[in-house]
Amino acid sequence: MIPELGHFSLILTLFVALAQGCLALAGAARGNAVWISFARPAARAQFLLIIVSFATLGWSFIVKDFSVAYVAQNSNSQLPLLYRIAAVWGGHEGSLLLWLLMQTGWAYAVSVFSKQLPDVMVARVLGVLGLVTAGFLLFVLLTSNPFERLVPAAIEGMDLNPLLQDIGLIFHPPLLYMGYVGFSVAFAFAIAALLAGQLDSTWARWSRPWATAAWLFLTLGIALGSWWAYYELGWGGWWFWDPVENSSFIPWLVGTALIHSLAVTEKRASFKNWTVLLAISTFSLSLLGAFLVRSGVLTSVHAFATDPRRGVFILMLFAVVVGSSLFLFALRAPKVGMGGRFELISRESLLLMNNVLLAVAAGAVILGTLYPLFIDALGLGKLSVGPPYFNAVFIPLMVPALLLMAVGPVANWKSAKISALIKHLHVPAVVALVVGVGAPFMLGRWSALAALGLALATWIATAVVKGIVDRMRATRTGLRAQPLSWLGMHLAHLGIAVFVAGVTLVMGYETEQDVRMTPGSTVSTGGGYELKFLGVNKAQGPNYVAEVGDIELSRDGRILRLLHPEKRSYISSEMPMTEAAIDANGLRHVYVALGEPLADDAWSVRVYYKPFVDWIWIGCILMALGGLLAISDRRYRLKRRERKAALVAAGATS
């Protein structure tokens, strides 16, 4: 009866979500205090009910209940316990249950951490979230029920996809979904502000930490996915412009524009309509990403589903969310004032230009991702859009965005003088020019792209350091006395600089070799390292057999360590998998992957030397830490007198 309990819990959650959405929104519209008060306990009840469903499915995996179709399709009696637990979200149905857990979890967090906000505003936000949750519950119950029974029960499971039998499955999907779903909170705040006709700096202040938190999780999710693909697929690449990778990167780009636009709306009461439109767009693009992954229109190692019915349902949900939101926006937007005026040279203008560049970049990625699908759907043939297109379009858009990143924080609001900007930025400009021109010579090969990338990274990093030092001198205080949101902004920008440096150096100076190696043979790679092939041994895993290579890494005649790349064959699926071996020291990777066995005990071996590749993920971690600092700022915690003022304003506009 355990799976039936999970199914019943989903049905009950649907009724609670519908009641929450309808009663909370109607109560806010009519000023009905009883209906308004229903929103918080309903949101908490939904979270608890989804926890019951999630735990029920997890228990079915733990006890190997192959009478549940989803368990039989994604588990096996030989699968280690850790992966049986992670397999709960390793397939389509379970991943949607994880999505619902995150969706109701965010709503629960809003109900708990919004006690200082007006009850009527919270009711509107939770009402919108309740309707979104109801839409996904209908999707699960009608097309993707994870609790369907097999009659008779399967004797043995089909096993989890070998690509997913990795620690990355434990952390990557939850982090990614926390970001995806988290933007529904910013979306709900925007819709609530539209419903209230209260598009001012107050709603932006309420929404900003939630949007930043979602951006933080999405950043970490994308970074972890990049690292997972890097070491698991054996191709040695950190980003492939895969359509499913793009489906998470697109909302990240627009979400980055959103958190910057929220800052302007909060501080200067400008960009009101633009900010609302970005909030709607970011969550809508998250739904578009769900459609791409689950509709069956894509073939990818990341994609979950191949059932067109599911794609049609998500497309309908996407149409309802986007259509109703834009209709409400069209009704309210003309009544919103323009906000504070600003000059062509000002922080507002610079942030607006940055937002436009990010939005255009997102549009370019959407075009490259969806255009082949449209061509295929129209019967005009198969078309592949790969890295050459994305690099040619995306990089030119990012160069001016990176240049503006150093200028924006030092420009004054409303009006800025060019002479003042030059005074602040002449030192970073000189340092960037010197590093950009000189560093490629020191690295052994000069190229224009390497010079440009290193100059941009240095430009941003130097501007960050100088900005912090200048502020501490001006205020005569230490680093701890500075506002956390301000420090978070600079730390995130520093993360971008580290990321750009890592991308530039690995793309400009990595080496790749595919070599035939026999026991005793050696190959030289970048950085003066040598690899000696000692041979291959067989090994038995819990649910696979492997051929494990022994490769000796040395430099200047000194043995550093043994590397053990593997070629695995999983018993249930007989699917071969490559497990790369990586030696890392923070400044470079020596990356080795076994290819195919050849004649005379020889093997095909792929060897990469990747300088500074770790900086790519270190930069992402710094960005996320910057977001964490920003949402920790005390400015986003309303005081009692601010709550009273907000209550009066909300009552006047209800």
Side-chain angles (χ1 to χ4, degrees):
M1 291 298 292
I2 289 292
E4 285 71 23
L5 174 63
H7 186 245
F8 175 74
S9 183
L10 287 178
I11 295 173
L12 189 57
T13 309
L14 174 61
F15 285 110
V16 176
L18 287 171
Q20 174 191 318
C22 296
L23 289 178
L25 292 176
R30 297 184 178 184
N32 188 315
V34 176
W35 291 359
I36 289 173
S37 65
F38 178 73
R40 293 181 195 270
R44 297 168 189 179
Q46 287 177 67
F47 185 46
L48 293 176
L49 287 168
I50 293 298
I51 286 177
V52 170
S53 288
F54 197 80
T56 298
L57 186 61
W59 181 252
S60 298
F61 272 94
I62 290 172
V63 300
K64 308 173 188 176
D65 184 357
F66 298 130
S67 70
V68 179
Y70 179 70
V71 177
Q73 292 164 3
N74 294 279
S75 185
N76 186 278
S77 58
Q78 294 179 310
L79 189 67
L81 176 62
L82 187 65
Y83 295 142
R84 290 208 305 277
I85 296 172
V88 172
W89 55 84
H92 170 75
E93 291 85 353
S95 71
L96 281 173
L97 193 59
L98 176 65
W99 184 295
L100 281 170
L101 182 68
M102 301 301 180
Q103 184 74 59
T104 54
W106 278 103
Y108 177 88
V110 171
S111 72
V112 171
F113 296 108
S114 61
K115 294 178 180 178
Q116 294 174 310
L117 302 185
D119 290 336
V120 66
M121 185 65 169
V122 174
R124 289 191 179 101
V125 172
L126 292 177
V128 173
L129 291 175
L131 293 179
V132 171
T133 301
F136 273 95
L137 279 164
L138 284 171
F139 180 36
V140 170
L141 290 169
L142 296 178
T143 72
S144 310
N145 184 3
F147 298 106
E148 287 185 353
R149 289 281 197 176
L150 280 177
V151 181
I155 298 174
E156 181 59 277
M158 296 172 62
D159 204 3
L160 181 66
N161 185 336
L163 279 170
L164 302 180
Q165 294 184 34
D166 185 88
I167 194 171
L169 178 65
I170 300 171
F171 300 105
H172 170 58
L175 284 172
L176 200 66
Y177 283 13
M178 281 289 284
Y180 267 153
V181 179
F183 280 118
S184 68
V185 179
F187 166 79
F189 269 99
I191 298 301
L194 286 172
L195 290 171
Q198 192 182 354
L199 289 176
D200 55 13
S201 59
T202 304
W203 86 268
R205 172 176 289 193
W206 295 340
S207 178
R208 192 177 173 191
W210 296 100
T212 305
W215 178 88
L216 181 164
F217 284 114
L218 189 57
T219 301
L220 289 176
I222 292 172
L224 184 57
S226 166
W227 167 248
W228 185 9
Y230 171 77
Y231 72 79
E232 178 67 20
L233 298 181
W235 300 339
W238 58 273
W239 192 258
F240 303 100
W241 289 111
D242 181 284
V244 181
E245 288 180 331
N246 294 348
S247 69
S248 60
F249 187 49
I250 292 165
W252 185 89
L253 289 169
V254 182
T256 303
L258 171 63
I259 60 177
H260 286 85
S261 191
L262 280 167
V264 181
T265 303
E266 178 194 348
K267 295 178 180 179
R268 304 298 301 172
S270 297
F271 298 5
K272 299 175 186 177
N273 289 335
W274 175 244
T275 303
V276 170
L277 195 58
L278 285 174
I280 294 171
S281 300
T282 305
F283 181 58
S284 299
L285 290 169
S286 295
L287 293 180
L288 178 64
F291 165 73
L292 290 174
V293 177
R294 292 173 173 76
S295 63
V297 301
L298 294 179
T299 301
S300 166
V301 295
H302 305 83
F304 278 112
T306 57
D307 186 350
R309 291 182 306 138
R310 295 166 176 172
V312 170
F313 194 103
I314 290 189
L315 202 57
M316 291 170 59
L317 180 62
F318 175 78
V320 169
V321 169
V322 174
S324 59
S325 302
L326 293 181
F327 178 73
L328 180 60
F329 177 77
L331 290 178
R332 295 291 193 183
K335 302 176 183 178
V336 179
M338 295 297 294
R341 294 186 176 275
F342 49 88
E343 301 294 331
L344 180 62
I345 306 298
S346 64
R347 188 179 296 191
E348 291 95 330
S349 292
L350 294 170
L351 286 171
L352 181 60
M353 285 188 280
N354 188 273
N355 272 2
V356 170
L357 288 168
L358 288 170
V360 173
V365 178
I366 291 172
L367 179 63
T369 304
L370 297 184
Y371 183 70
L373 304 181
F374 289 135
I375 294 296
D376 188 23
L378 294 173
L380 300 177
K382 298 286 186 179
L383 181 67
S384 176
V385 176
Y389 162 81
F390 290 106
N391 292 334
V393 174
F394 188 76
I395 292 175
L397 290 169
M398 285 297 100
V399 169
L402 294 173
L403 288 171
L404 291 173
M405 191 177 297
V407 184
V410 301
N412 291 331
W413 294 106
K414 195 173 181 179
S415 179
K417 294 182 179 179
I418 295 179
S419 58
L421 296 178
I422 293 174
K423 180 181 178 181
H424 280 290
L425 296 171
H426 72 279
V427 171
V430 171
V431 174
L433 184 63
V434 171
V435 171
V437 172
F441 284 113
M442 297 176 63
L443 292 167
R445 185 175 70 254
W446 198 93
S447 72
L449 284 177
L452 176 62
L454 291 173
L456 287 170
T458 306
W459 160 255
I460 297 169
T462 310
V464 166
V465 174
K466 187 175 186 303
I468 293 174
V469 172
D470 288 348
R471 182 176 179 117
M472 289 193 298
R473 286 177 178 172
T475 59
R476 297 183 180 180
T477 56
L479 199 61
R480 292 184 178 181
Q482 308 307 321
L484 290 180
S485 61
W486 182 83
L487 288 173
M489 172 193 69
H490 282 289
L491 184 59
H493 287 182
L494 183 62
I496 292 285
V498 173
F499 174 86
V500 171
V503 170
T504 300
L505 291 168
V506 74
M507 290 183 67
Y509 299 98
E510 69 178 344
T511 62
E512 174 185 349
Q513 300 175 74
D514 283 305
V515 294
R516 180 183 184 275
M517 300 192 77
T518 56
S521 64
T522 62
V523 61
S524 298
T525 187
Y529 293 92
E530 283 196 347
L531 294 158
K532 183 177 181 179
F533 186 72
L534 302 180
V536 172
N537 299 303
K538 291 189 179 296
Q540 179 70 52
N543 61 338
Y544 63 86
V545 292
E547 293 180 287
V548 182
D550 294 322
I551 298 179
E552 189 178 84
L553 177 67
S554 62
R555 187 180 188 186
D556 299 328
R558 183 168 63 91
I559 297 174
L560 301 178
R561 61 170 293 191
L562 282 177
L563 299 175
H564 301 289
E566 297 182 27
K567 200 77 173 179
R568 295 179 179 176
S569 179
Y570 283 80
I571 297 170
S572 60
S573 63
E574 298 184 356
M575 182 176 177
M577 286 292 302
T578 299
E579 296 290 326
I582 302 172
D583 182 71
N585 64 6
L587 297 178
R588 57 96 186 114
H589 281 185
V590 176
Y591 180 114
V592 183
L594 280 181
E596 299 299 324
L598 306 173
D600 302 324
D601 293 329
W603 280 78
S604 170
V605 180
R606 180 170 292 177
V607 179
Y608 297 94
Y609 175 77
K610 294 180 173 290
F612 298 95
V613 67
D614 276 330
W615 286 27
I616 293 172
W617 300 294
I618 292 172
C620 293
I621 293 171
L622 291 176
M623 289 183 233
L625 288 175
L628 182 62
L629 281 179
I631 61 177
S632 302
D633 198 299
R634 289 182 296 176
R635 292 187 305 119
Y636 302 125
R637 303 170 193 171
L638 291 178
K639 299 178 182 178
R640 288 185 179 179
R641 62 177 181 272
E642 293 172 318
R643 171 177 162 80
K644 291 180 180 178
L647 281 168
V648 172
T653 55
S654 298

